[in-house]
Amino acid sequence: MSVKSTVPPAASPVRQMRYLKPFRQRVGEALSSYTARVLLQGLFTVFAVMTFTFFLVRLMPGNPVDIKIDQLMQTQGLTYEQARSQAAGLFDMDLNAPVGQQYLTYVQRVLRGDLGKSILSAGTPVADIIWRFLPWTLFSVGLGLLVSFALGVLIGAAMAYWRGGILDNVMTAVASILYSIPEYIIALLIILVAGVQLQLFQVGELRGGFNPDVAPGFTLEFIGSILKHATLPVITYVLATIGGWILAMKSSTISTLGEDYITVAKARGLSERRVLTAYVGRNALLPLVTRLSVSIGLVVGGSVIVEELFQYPGLGRQLLRAINGRDYTVMQGIFLIIAISVVASTIIADLMLGWLDPRVRVGQKATKG
Amino acid sequence: MPNDVVVSVRDLSVSYLARRGRVRAVNRASFDLHAGETLALIGESGCGKSTLNLALIRQLPKNATIDSGSILYTRRDKSVVDVLKLNKAELRRFLWSEFAMVFQGALNSLNPVIRVSDMVYDTAAAHGLNKAAAEKRALHLFEKVRLDPYRVFRAYPHELSGGMRQRVLLAMSLLLQPQVVIMDEPTTAVDILTQRSILDVLQTLREELNFSVIFISHDLAVAAEIADTIATMYAGDIVEVGPVNEVFYRPRHAYTLALLNAAPRLSAGAEELYSIPGSPPDLIHPPPGCKFHPRCTFATEVCRTVLPPLVAAEAGHQVACHHTDDVVTAYRKVSRA
Amino acid sequence: MTPLIELKHVYRHFEVNRQRLPVLQDINLSIAANEIVCLVGESGCGKTTTGKILAGLLGPSSGEVLIEGRPRASYTGREAALLRRALQIVHQDPFASINPAHTIGQILGFPLQRHGMVRSRAELRRRIWELLTLVDLTPPGDIVNKFPHQLSGGQRQRVSIARVLTVNPRLIVADEAVSMVDVSIRIGILKMLHRLREQLNLSIVFITHDLALAKYFAWDGRIAVMYLGRIVEIGRTPDVIAHPAHPYTRALLAAVPEADPELTRHKQHLELRSEDIPRLTEIPPGCAFHPRCPFFVPGVCDTRVPPLEPPPDYNQLAACIPLVETGRLIPYTERVNPDGR
């Protein structure tokens, strides 16, 4: 019999108020400040990349402008002054101005959405090139990544769930092999084995984004043609990335399955489906979301060789052309786009993580008692 | 004993398949749990108490098997269920509505990405209880465990302190009015004052709701406070079972005695304590005879060869020791010295 | 006599998420040679930070650390190196503090060689044997070639104590050193620490949240009770345990269950006014315990920070203004409702 003093455990209305109101406010504030912070960080990164690219083009020893001037002097027999002024016209910038001022002009233009003009196809605005080729890359890479992520997560989770089973053993080997092969090798294998050896398709027919005989338009035929032409690059992207997703999801799911809250959820009599989705799946997915953002960004840049191999009219192929032809304004523009896509995907992943994981929203700050 | 046994465990054996061989985690464990009773299973880490608990709710890891025995559960309507014979769907409905549990480590027992309310709704949905009724009952229970019900109901686990989370788990375990709640070290890893409030809350809840508790702990002091019955486990065996005062004041097993002699008491002034020599045995190749004999001061030849059976002594006291009488006299000497 | 180590007005704060956490405030503590001092308190009270400052792993944000009467900063060069060896810490989890890839012989051998404590292989071997015997890991030949995972928890903790002893320390800070060890084995390690203290003339600072263990271990020494970054009570262990002065110490002692059924069921508990531990970012003004204190005196406890002083009729120091000034504590409820209704 414990004799207790009669002090009530202070549950006064004042105390309730103190908890209820700031609680909602706090979550609201944290969410908005979190979003703001993420966006600001993203803007800063894009700006930093833009600056870096600019000075790289402008200041590297044997810089692109000088190389162009040399080229013009040699090929067209111009004097240095003539070549310089012609190069200046090509680069659409005043080379006599101090570097700082040139940079300011460049930034001002970029802010207005003007990325300058291509050197190779003289006169074509870089923005036009990007708008023309970016959708193809976004479509093929995006579709590939989506399929790969979804399949990889499902397979990885299933492997972890039936750990040690046939699926697990077979897929672990397959995933490890796929994970270790670079995507251009996979693309070459597809072309050589499926296309040339087995004659499953005509490599030549699948060049370009769609069949030029089909009239562009919102028709079944045209859409079908687009899908058909995207098949090979998409398969390549899926095969190249799915191994990573499978292995990551498997290990993440295994560690989640060992958590106490899974045992508790089962002990509470929850249906297997509910346990697997809201308890195992959602928690196991968290570490993969961060990974997803990194790969989205990298794949946009990494599609260069695959697009060239399949002659797919994407941005990666344009980048390769720009590098070969020393089209520096286009390179500058494409690098900017890659930077923006990396940053944007990171922001999306961060926001998704915040949506999936309440702990991130409040900036990792748990109430300690 | 009157016929109010809720859980009757007979000859339950559980083993794990490890790389080195078969780990015999629980050996022929038998005990009865009566309505409203709190049974404390005490023992050190690796003695099999947590395995026994997971076996009771059939949530053993995949590499573990129940080798023998039965777990009979008597419902409120007096119908008897063999827990080990329930199929998957029956087990799912059985758990939590009859047998609930509170895990150690409140930190990890709650799904970090969903709200407390969702966990309540999930549990309700799995047992055909409607949302509104579940919410009402949960809020009522949160208040009972001295939580701010509305705040906690809407909170994410990380927004609650360790003590609050432990009380949330306690309240959640009672959501479906089970007859039995298994508690695995619910006050380990919490601070003294938090432990006190959990113990007080548990006491109040038991008085009001009259459920039975299987309490698993290595902490003799906590067991002394809340248990009606103590069962001591050593190396997978239940070596002594008896009413709490019997076990604490008249221990009959050499291991129980040794544990008591190693437990410091705050109010005892300067006291002489004794460590148990050696370390717990390897459960793959346990010593022959009484498993405690290599560490036991009373051990004789018979202990090295013959496994002592769990036999009734007196006053509901059961013990598996060849030297019960020596243990009783030794304890008198120690405690009165 | 000059204490071995002394903390004077030590403050320590941490910067977490741009918030300033005052983890320690105005800590005054001296530890004599060969003395046992127990730091007790709940998580977040600052006992571990105090231990780290004593062991020299952390510096204070302000205040002084004196070693044998001299500021720590005045120790330079070879003296500083000797000082680092003299103050050692043993952590809670031996698995986290000893390298699992090395044998016990290597774990003990590295510091001996590194600090030039041995001249030859034969001496190294002899010293490792000696250390293992000192921590009761006998016969040493059975242990020396094993890896940490081949030992039991208790044995591992003995290894981490032996490793600390390689450098001949003067002070050992044992931070929850037996919390992860089984009940039956704890007492053996504590007894060994007692023996080492006598044999090697060590001072021991024992950090724990377990009051019964603190009482047992520090019966011949002192106990300091900490709450939210301050020492609220300090004195000889029998005095503090048998006659706790500060309301917080009283609440703690009253809350601890006892391994004795009759005793623990009839124990009188002290109900607090609130169960919420304030966050370090929002430490209440005055006495930090006042919002929870059952003996709260409005206007006194919530305005003045209580200094550590001897209350009348007590042998220890306590930071409680009403007790020190009036010699008694009146429950807040009686103060609010003198008629008891």
Side-chain angles (χ1 to χ4, degrees), chain A residues 2 4 9 15-16 19-20 23-24 26-27 160-163 259-264 266-272 274 278-280 282-283 286 356-359 361-362 365-369, chain B residues 54 57 59 62 88 92 95-96 99 101 103-105 108-115 118-120 122-123 126-127 146 148-151 154-156 158-162 165 169 172 191 200:
Chain A
S2 59
K4 288 163 187 167
R15 187 160 159 251
Q16 293 237 343
Y19 277 130
L20 281 176
F23 176 61
R24 277 197 164 162
R26 212 164 48 215
V27 172
Y161 189 68
W162 290 288
R163 196 178 172 188
E259 296 283 351
D260 280 346
Y261 53 78
I262 302 301
T263 317
V264 175
K266 287 186 197 157
R268 268 162 45 211
L270 299 201
S271 66
E272 199 144 4
R274 182 70 186 160
Y279 289 71
V280 180
R282 194 160 158 192
N283 282 290
L286 295 178
L356 283 171
D357 188 350
R359 286 165 297 184
R361 269 174 249 166
V362 237
K365 184 83 183 77
T367 335
K368 255 199 91 184
Chain B
L54 290 176
I57 55 165
Q59 297 296 335
K62 278 179 184 162
K88 244 183 173 177
R92 205 176 63 63
L95 291 175
W96 220 257
F99 247 53
M101 72 169 308
F103 260 95
Q104 173 183 21
N108 300 324
S109 291
L110 294 169
N111 185 350
V113 299
I114 65 178
R115 291 176 197 274
D118 290 323
M119 282 177 256
V120 169
D122 279 349
T123 315
H127 295 275
R146 300 194 217 157
D148 182 343
Y150 293 97
R151 180 199 168 200
R154 269 193 295 270
Y156 284 104
H158 70 92
E159 293 165 341
L160 306 172
S161 71
R165 265 176 278 191
L169 286 170
M172 290 244 283
D191 281 320
D200 287 350

Side-chain angles (χ1 to χ4, degrees), chain A residues 24-322:
Chain A
R24 277 197 164 162
Q25 271 178 6
R26 212 164 48 215
V27 172
E29 278 165 17
L31 198 63
S32 61
S33 75
Y34 175 71
T35 312
R37 206 174 64 224
V38 165
L39 285 173
L40 267 175
Q41 274 174 1
L43 276 177
F44 176 78
T45 312
V46 169
F47 186 75
V49 170
M50 204 174 85
T51 307
F52 183 70
T53 332
F54 176 85
F55 285 103
L56 211 63
V57 167
R58 192 67 195 78
L59 292 177
M60 262 169 57
N63 71 63
V65 181
D66 286 345
I67 289 172
K68 192 72 197 174
I69 293 172
D70 279 351
Q71 256 181 13
L72 288 173
M73 281 165 68
Q74 278 167 17
T75 54
Q76 300 181 19
L78 302 174
T79 65
Y80 179 77
E81 293 304 320
Q82 285 170 320
R84 191 180 154 82
S85 66
Q86 202 170 332
L90 283 172
F91 279 86
D92 204 13
M93 54 175 89
D94 184 1
L95 294 173
N96 286 318
V99 182
Q101 199 187 320
Q102 286 179 42
Y103 172 67
L104 282 179
T105 318
Y106 172 66
V107 172
Q108 275 170 10
R109 284 187 183 172
V110 169
L111 287 180
R112 269 187 271 122
D114 180 3
L115 296 174
K117 293 195 174 89
S118 165
I119 300 170
L120 208 62
S121 15
T124 321
V126 173
D128 285 5
I129 295 175
I130 288 172
W131 283 126
R132 221 173 95 210
F133 295 104
L134 181 64
W136 295 103
T137 296
L138 279 186
F139 168 68
S140 60
V141 169
L143 186 65
L145 201 66
L146 212 69
V147 171
S148 159
F149 183 76
L151 270 179
V153 159
L154 283 177
I155 296 173
M159 283 159 69
Y161 189 68
W162 290 288
R163 196 178 172 188
I166 301 170
L167 179 82
D168 183 15
N169 286 325
V170 172
M171 284 313 292
T172 303
V174 172
S176 310
I177 293 168
L178 284 178
Y179 188 52
S180 54
I181 306 179
E183 55 185 357
Y184 56 86
I185 303 275
I186 293 178
L188 283 173
L189 283 176
I190 289 178
I191 292 172
L192 292 177
V193 177
V196 179
Q197 296 289 322
L198 302 175
Q199 301 278 317
L200 292 179
F201 54 86
Q202 281 307 135
V203 183
E205 266 179 26
L206 290 176
R207 290 174 171 224
F210 54 91
N211 188 346
D213 301 338
V214 180
F218 201 70
T219 59
L220 259 174
E221 202 188 359
F222 182 63
I223 293 170
S225 172
I226 286 180
L227 286 175
K228 192 175 161 194
H229 282 248
T231 315
L232 294 181
V234 168
I235 289 178
T236 307
Y237 297 138
V238 170
L239 289 178
T241 51
I242 197 167
W245 295 123
I246 289 175
L247 296 177
M249 186 63 184
K250 181 190 161 187
S251 82
S252 175
T253 309
I254 284 172
S255 71
T256 308
L257 282 170
E259 296 283 351
D260 280 346
Y261 53 78
I262 302 301
T263 317
V264 175
K266 287 186 197 157
R268 268 162 45 211
L270 299 201
S271 66
E272 199 144 4
R273 215 184 63 195
R274 182 70 186 160
V275 174
L276 285 182
T277 51
Y279 289 71
V280 180
R282 194 160 158 192
N283 282 290
L285 217 53
L286 295 178
L288 270 77
V289 172
T290 325
R291 227 184 124 119
L292 183 65
S293 73
V294 179
S295 25
I296 293 176
L298 291 182
V299 170
V300 172
S303 59
V304 174
I305 302 172
V306 175
E307 284 179 356
E308 180 63 23
L309 286 172
F310 290 115
Q311 295 289 300
Y312 196 75
L315 209 57
R317 200 160 149 243
Q318 287 308 307
L319 181 61
L320 198 66
R321 273 177 114 191

